[in-house]
Amino acid sequence: MGTYNMDLCNCIEPPWPADELLMKYQYISDFFIALAYFSIPLELIYFVKKSAVFPYRWVLVQFGAFIVLCGATHLINLWTFTMHTRTVAVVMTTAKILTAVVSCATALMLVHIIPDLLSVKTRELFLKNKAAELDREMGLIRTQEETGRHVRMLTHEIRSTLDRHTILKTTLVELGRTLGLEECALWMPTRTGLELHLSYTLRHQNPVGFTVPIQLPVINQVFNTSRAVKISPNSPVARLRPAGKYMPGEVVAVRVPLLHLSNFQIHDWPELSTKRYALMVLMLPSDSARQWHVHELELVEVVADQVAVALSHAAILEESMRARDLLMEQNVALDLARREAETAVRARNDFLAVMNHEMRTPMHAIIALSSLLQETELTPEQRLMVETILKSSNILATLINDVLDLSRLEDGSLQLEIGTFSLHSLFREALNLIKPVASVKKLYVTLSLSPDLPEYAVGDEKRLMQVVLNVVGNAVKFTKEGGISISAFVAKAESLRDPRAPDFFPIPSDNHFYLRVEVKDTGSGVNPQDTPKLFMKFVQSQPLAAKNSSGSGLGLAICKRFVNLMEGQIRIESEGLGRGSTAIFIVKLGIPGRSTESELSFIHKGPGIQAKPNFSGLKVVVVDENSVGRMVTRGLLVHLGCDVLAVASGDECIRVVTHEHKVVFLDVTLPGTESFEVAVRIHEKFAKRPDRPIIVALTGNTDRTTKENCLRVGMAGVILKPVSLDKMRSVLSDLLEHGYLVESQ
Amino acid sequence: MDVVKQLQRQFIDFSTSLYREGFVDDQFAQLQKLQDESNPDFVVEVVSLFFDDSEKLVKNLAVALEQQVVDYKQVDANVHQLKGSSSSIGAKRVKDVCVAFRSFCEAENHEGCLRCLHQVSHENSLLKNKLQTLFRLEQQILAAGGTVPVLE
């Protein structure tokens, strides 16, 4: 459209003469082009204004300008078809120049712009792809999260109960709900382990007992892996619904390990090898064209594991509940038993308490009166009757006594009742009691008491009498002819140490003596081998004996217990059957008047084993003019562990005694009052102090005056010389414990 | 071993005879009990002391009784001492004589006292011999490597 002819016109001189038609068409085209050129930028501006996002405004303006100018050029061209003035030409020229400039600039700019625009496009595409991808991923995450949520919820549901059935039911229900299943079933192994039994289903409330053998390949396949396995809907385990016309949905099966208590070892994880599994079968709805997705399978696997754990917990709980119930039952039973036992013991004790007195009294009356009756004039029948009465009542009396005593002895509740009694009268009474029975059998009874036997003794008179009676009674019982001789004497030191009784360690002392009683009979004797058995409870060594050898077999056992309590010893010697026997027992009795009651420890102390009180370092003073006596007393105290200062005179004693000395042994054998003055002066020396030494008198004199004098001058006690070791020991204990002698001599 | 057993047997027999014949009584046994590791020769010491003492007393008594005018109080005092000593070691026979002696003293029976004195002296010597034998046996046992048996 450019022309070089600036003078006249802008149009190119056509090589041929201007055709009017052609000019007309040109004219119209130019017009429309101009129109278009003007309207396009307008449209652009309009739309750009409308949308605020377009980033290349500047380009648009340029473009707009370019188009406008082009349009302008073409418009102006309209006037150049005819003759036109110079102004028009100028305007035209200007327009053309501007257009040229702008279009070149635009062209140049487009070189930059178009790649940009293109890349925008690609970026847009890229972003769109990315967005799509993100969307997909978001979808995935959401599903996973949902799965997780479902699992948590399921687990929560499953674990919120400890009841087996609830667990399983809940599992199925929740799974069904979460996954939208058509059917969900659980097959449990039977007891034999050879079959699977349909235990729970989702839809059917009470599944009819389907069972399938456990060795099916499909089942093995499922059991061999911990993953959920897709199985055919036609397999026996999946055929749960009546075969319908519908296309069954996909079925998945997973194993549920049934953990046993025994599987849990302390150090290892549970062994999964010796396992029983249950089978869980899940069916998607038929005709839904749904497929099992991976995350759903994972969900199923997780749930299966959780179920296993929950079940095992439930099992453990069941176990422990059962054990606890059992224990409670046992407890109740034990308690009952204990109470019954207590009641029984109490009843027995009450019974014994009553029997003790009530039964014995009449018994003795019967026996005594019967024997008296025997002495009177009787017809033979009457005599026979009385004899029978006597025999029977004797037996009964013995039985009563034995049973009563033995039960108390066995309790350990028996304690000896110590008292002073007359030995002589004890034996005489025993003799009197046994005489009737013996005379019935025409046996003689002799009693010989040794002259050195003390008149009185300290001990349990009743029990000793029982022992004597028992032994003598026994002798009478087993003697058919001849008689019994009883002898009692004081056992001497050497006779105490009997080689036949090696466990017997009598400790002689001057407050006790050992009474030895021998009862010799001419009766049926005992086999020497049986002699130890005689003292065992309820053992009768003569099972084939005659009718009169009745008895509970308790008598000698009781005797042995009593004798042991009295720190003694009992045995029976016999040379054999038919040669008679001798019962020998030794008991420890106290000498009245010469011993303190507290020394007679009969209650369950071992013979001779006395606790050694600790006097070590105890500072004492011994005052004795007699050198021998002094040395002996000193030796005695040193042996007991004291720190002894021995002086020969009262004066020296006063000089050396200090507040550290706890006891002063003052020999007052001297006639006269010198020794007493010593005591007085010692008291004066320590008048002010609370810890003054205790003064004890040693004397060979037993008369009252000495004792009174000693006590008057404030001595703590009087000891008779010679002093034995035991005596000194107990004196020291007494002094230290009480500050005075409990019983002075 | 045999020797020891034999000696021990002898010792036991001898000891028992001493007791049986009344030479010694329980108190002597008590003395033997006081003998231990810290006091190994206690009995011997006491016995020696006794014999020293008793011999002295006997001499005093002899002197006292030889006087023209016998001071029975003095005699009594001595006898009392002797009685005390003998009872302290358990010399039974000696003590018994002393008891008799004292009654004679009280009665101021010269004859009786003299008799008792002789008896005392005699018993003393007897006892001394017996105890010396006993101690010798003890030594022999110990020398042979055994232990001295304890009598109950």
Side-chain angles (χ1 to χ4, degrees):
Chain A
M1 34 179 198
T3 122
Y4 50 82
N5 198 343
M6 304 259 299
D7 300 13
L8 289 172
C9 55
N10 299 352
C11 49
I12 307 170
E13 286 270 353
W16 50 84
D19 195 17
E20 276 220 23
L21 197 66
L22 281 169
M23 269 192 28
K24 238 191 224 138
Y25 278 126
Q26 273 198 357
Y27 193 82
I28 293 168
S29 311
D30 270 333
F31 176 70
F32 274 114
I33 288 170
L35 196 66
Y37 276 167
F38 279 130
S39 55
I40 287 176
L42 284 175
E43 286 169 16
L44 278 174
I45 289 168
Y46 175 71
F47 283 116
V48 163
K49 271 223 161 46
K50 270 284 173 127
S51 88
V53 225
F54 197 75
Y56 294 109
R57 274 212 177 155
W58 175 243
V59 171
L60 220 56
V61 166
Q62 233 178 350
F63 216 60
F66 165 63
I67 291 179
V68 163
L69 285 168
C70 265
T73 314
H74 277 283
L75 191 67
I76 296 171
N77 221 18
L78 285 175
W79 272 273
T80 56
F81 283 113
T82 53
M83 292 299 282
H84 48 275
T85 59
R86 189 183 169 79
T87 331
V88 175
V90 167
V91 168
M92 185 74 202
T93 315
T94 325
K96 276 207 179 155
I97 290 171
L98 278 174
T99 310
V101 167
V102 172
S103 49
C104 286
T106 310
L108 283 172
M109 191 140 310
L110 275 177
V111 173
H112 294 285
I113 299 259
I114 288 184
D116 264 354
L117 280 175
L118 281 177
S119 74
V120 164
K121 240 357 190 165
T122 48
R123 234 180 295 155
E124 191 189 316
L125 207 62
F126 178 69
L127 278 172
K128 207 169 14 160
N129 284 340
K130 260 280 184 256
E133 213 177 287
L134 274 171
D135 257 335
R136 267 198 308 272
E137 275 183 17
M138 269 295 284
L140 256 164
I141 288 173
R142 225 176 279 132
T143 30
Q144 271 178 2
E145 195 211 341
E146 234 172 78
T147 311
R149 208 162 12 100
H150 280 141
V151 169
R152 273 198 296 282
M153 191 183 54
L154 258 168
T155 312
H156 177 74
E157 289 293 325
I158 291 170
R159 300 279 285 271
S160 68
T161 169
L162 285 170
D163 173 46
R164 191 170 236 257
H165 294 282
T166 321
I167 290 173
L168 291 168
K169 230 19 196 163
T170 316
T171 312
L172 297 182
V173 164
E174 291 299 323
L175 266 179
R177 209 153 48 86
T178 310
L179 298 172
L181 301 172
E182 167 161 345
E183 180 61 273
C184 192
L186 191 68
W187 298 77
M188 301 281 276
T190 57
R191 241 167 231 296
T192 57
L194 298 173
E195 293 177 324
L196 284 181
H197 169 83
L198 181 62
S199 314
Y200 304 93
T201 57
L202 187 54
R203 308 284 170 208
H204 304 141
Q205 284 312 108
N206 291 314
V208 180
F210 294 130
T211 46
V212 294
I214 209 170
Q215 288 302 327
L216 289 179
V218 62
I219 298 178
N220 279 336
Q221 187 198 4
V222 177
F223 280 176
N224 280 334
T225 168
S226 61
R227 327 274 336 249
V229 176
K230 290 210 186 93
I231 61 174
S232 153
N234 291 323
S235 58
V237 289
R239 257 188 275 133
L240 298 165
R241 316 215 82 211
K245 320 157 209 129
Y246 304 106
M247 189 63 177
E250 284 198 343
V251 182
V252 144
V254 70
R255 72 177 187 188
V256 180
L258 296 173
L259 301 170
H260 258 284
L261 272 177
S262 55
N263 292 126
F264 290 106
Q265 339 236 311
I266 313 286
H267 302 296
D268 313 311
W269 290 107
E271 289 290 313
L272 296 172
S273 49
T274 57
K275 270 311 203 36
R276 298 195 322 150
Y277 298 108
L279 188 74
M280 196 153 55
V281 175
L282 307 119
M283 278 196 302
L284 285 178
S286 30
D287 272 1
S288 66
R290 254 180 68 187
Q291 298 248 317
W292 281 99
H293 295 143
V294 170
H295 69 268
E296 289 170 338
L297 292 178
E298 282 171 6
L299 181 80
V300 167
E301 285 157 20
V302 167
V303 169
D305 276 333
Q306 288 297 319
V307 166
V309 174
L311 281 177
S312 64
H313 283 185
I316 291 174
L317 182 75
E318 261 176 54
E319 253 331 295
S320 77
M321 299 277 289
R322 214 165 344 123
R324 192 198 64 173
D325 285 336
L326 199 64
L327 271 174
M328 265 177 30
E329 269 176 42
Q330 280 180 351
N331 242 4
V332 168
L334 275 171
D335 202 36
L336 189 66
R338 181 178 59 86
R339 262 179 289 131
E340 279 177 4
E342 274 177 16
T343 322
V345 167
R346 240 178 314 175
R348 187 202 70 172
N349 287 342
D350 290 340
F351 171 74
L352 287 181
V354 168
M355 287 307 153
N356 198 14
H357 186 72
E358 302 299 332
M359 278 173 77
R360 279 196 177 137
T361 321
M363 219 54 256
H364 286 157
I366 295 173
I367 294 174
L369 291 175
S370 312
S371 1
L372 278 179
L373 196 58
Q374 271 190 326
E375 307 285 318
T376 65
E377 288 278 332
L378 295 170
T379 69
E381 296 121 31
Q382 285 174 331
R383 191 160 286 278
L384 199 62
M385 285 189 241
V386 172
E387 276 174 13
T388 315
I389 294 173
L390 200 58
K391 256 190 248 175
S392 315
S393 21
N394 265 327
I395 292 165
L396 194 59
T398 319
L399 186 64
I400 292 171
N401 288 340
D402 288 353
V403 171
L404 284 170
D405 275 335
L406 194 65
S407 44
R408 296 233 313 281
L409 276 174
E410 307 229 284
D411 284 347
S413 59
L414 194 77
Q415 287 186 353
L416 292 178
E417 291 154 31
I418 310 295
T420 311
F421 61 95
S422 164
L423 265 180
H424 287 241
S425 48
L426 183 139
F427 282 106
R428 270 198 294 275
E429 197 184 323
L431 193 70
N432 287 336
L433 280 172
I434 209 64
K435 263 223 174 87
V437 187
S439 61
V440 165
K441 297 176 80 166
K442 309 246 184 317
L443 303 169
Y444 65 82
V445 182
T446 64
L447 172 67
S448 85
L449 301 175
S450 128
D452 65 350
L453 199 69
E455 172 83 27
Y456 291 94
V458 179
D460 189 334
E461 178 184 9
K462 206 161 47 128
R463 298 318 175 358
L464 183 60
M465 171 72 103
Q466 251 180 297
V467 172
V468 170
L469 277 178
N470 219 305
V471 170
V472 172
N474 238 27
V476 168
K477 197 190 323 182
F478 289 106
T479 305
K480 290 213 205 43
E481 54 190 5
I484 352 219
S485 45
I486 312 169
S487 47
F489 43 90
V490 177
K492 292 286 181 293
E494 63 272 15
S495 66
L496 289 174
R497 233 0 194 129
D498 208 317
R500 277 167 293 195
D503 325 314
F504 188 44
F505 294 111
I507 309 267
S509 74
D510 48 298
N511 306 313
H512 312 125
F513 69 98
Y514 284 89
L515 171 72
R516 186 187 166 102
V517 177
E518 293 183 7
V519 179
K520 201 168 165 52
D521 71 60
T522 59
S524 44
V526 181
N527 202 326
Q529 291 166 337
D530 289 337
T531 44
K533 273 199 280 176
L534 289 167
F535 294 98
M536 279 158 53
K537 268 195 319 181
F538 302 125
V539 170
Q540 299 200 357
S541 58
Q542 297 163 320
L544 310 168
K547 300 191 278 291
N548 64 344
S549 69
S550 44
S552 57
L554 285 177
L556 286 179
I558 294 184
C559 285
K560 187 172 163 91
R561 293 239 176 45
F562 281 149
V563 166
N564 282 340
L565 273 178
M566 296 187 206
E567 298 184 50
Q569 192 246 349
I570 180 169
R571 66 175 187 278
I572 292 189
E573 290 171 359
S574 172
E575 286 169 31
L577 290 164
R579 310 253 227 125
S581 43
T582 312
I584 306 170
F585 69 86
I586 303 174
V587 291
K588 184 180 185 188
L589 296 172
I591 301 173
R594 275 222 274 155
S595 47
T596 48
E597 296 291 272
S598 57
E599 282 182 343
L600 294 177
S601 55
F602 284 173
I603 305 166
H604 293 295
K605 264 208 198 155
I609 301 162
Q610 289 155 358
K612 245 192 171 4
N614 194 6
F615 302 123
S616 61
L618 182 72
K619 276 181 172 300
V620 299
V621 177
V622 171
V623 187
D624 192 344
E625 288 204 351
N626 187 315
S627 51
V628 177
R630 190 167 65 241
M631 188 169 183
V632 171
T633 312
R634 182 177 179 283
L636 203 56
L637 291 163
V638 163
H639 185 80
L640 288 171
C642 304
D643 180 357
V644 186
L645 187 61
V647 295
S649 73
D651 292 335
E652 207 184 327
C653 170
I654 308 280
R655 249 203 326 277
V656 300
V657 74
T658 69
H659 67 275
E660 284 182 342
H661 294 111
K662 295 275 174 279
V663 188
V664 173
F665 290 94
L666 189 54
D667 185 285
V668 298
T669 330
L670 277 180
T673 54
E674 269 185 45
S675 338
F676 303 121
E677 281 177 22
V678 170
V680 173
R681 279 158 67 195
I682 293 177
H683 273 306
E684 278 171 11
K685 182 171 178 184
F686 295 98
K688 303 286 187 321
R689 306 188 63 120
D691 56 351
R692 64 175 182 218
I694 307 171
I695 309 179
V696 178
L698 291 165
T699 174
N701 249 335
T702 47
D703 67 2
R704 224 177 227 306
T705 359
T706 320
K707 190 168 162 190
E708 278 172 7
N709 288 337
C710 289
L711 294 175
R712 198 152 8 97
V713 295
M715 299 211 203
V718 179
I719 312 176
L720 187 64
K721 284 192 356 176
V723 193
S724 71
L725 191 59
D726 290 337
K727 179 80 192 136
M728 186 56 95
R729 194 185 286 126
S730 74
V731 161
L732 279 178
S733 311
D734 264 352
L735 287 177
L736 291 177
E737 200 179 310
H738 302 119
Y740 58 91
L741 280 183
V742 174
E743 188 175 303
S744 297
Q745 299 172 10
Chain B
M1 242 4 213
D2 253 344
V3 175
V4 172
K5 272 216 168 2
Q6 206 184 0
L7 285 171
Q8 285 173 336
R9 187 83 242 157
Q10 257 184 297
F11 179 82
I12 292 178
D13 289 339
F14 193 68
S15 296
T16 10
S17 74
L18 284 183
Y19 283 97
R20 206 179 36 240
E21 290 163 25
F23 279 106
V24 292
D25 63 14
D26 257 349
Q27 181 60 15
F28 190 68
Q30 290 287 328
L31 283 190
Q32 287 181 316
K33 270 196 211 172
L34 299 180
Q35 190 156 292
D36 55 24
E37 303 82 50
S38 54
N39 236 341
D41 299 315
F42 182 66
V43 181
V44 174
E45 285 170 4
V46 176
V47 167
S48 323
L49 188 60
F50 168 74
F51 285 123
D52 288 341
D53 201 44
S54 60
E55 270 155 32
K56 194 168 52 132
L57 284 170
V58 166
K59 241 189 270 180
N60 289 347
L61 282 169
V63 164
L65 284 172
E66 271 171 25
Q67 303 297 320
Q68 281 292 13
V69 182
V70 176
D71 183 358
Y72 284 103
K73 283 241 170 348
Q74 171 80 325
V75 172
D76 187 55
N78 279 316
V79 174
H80 188 91
Q81 282 272 20
L82 187 59
K83 174 166 167 264
S85 308
S86 57
S87 73
S88 288
I89 71 158
K92 188 166 182 299
R93 280 199 188 178
V94 177
K95 186 187 77 175
D96 291 339
V97 176
C98 288
V99 173
F101 204 143
R102 282 195 85 192
S103 40
F104 283 131
C105 275
E106 251 175 273
E108 299 195 2
N109 186 333
H110 197 239
E111 276 293 313
C113 288
L114 276 176
R115 253 207 322 276
C116 280
L117 180 61
H118 287 139
Q119 222 178 336
V120 156
S121 188
H122 175 69
E123 290 294 343
N124 220 21
S125 326
L126 267 179
L127 184 66
K128 193 164 176 182
N129 281 333
K130 292 278 183 189
L131 289 180
Q132 273 171 348
T133 315
L134 190 74
F135 294 143
R136 213 182 17 252
L137 272 172
E138 273 187 17
Q139 293 299 334
Q140 284 176 333
I141 293 176
L142 289 173
T147 48
V148 180
V150 177
L151 283 175
E152 292 296 330

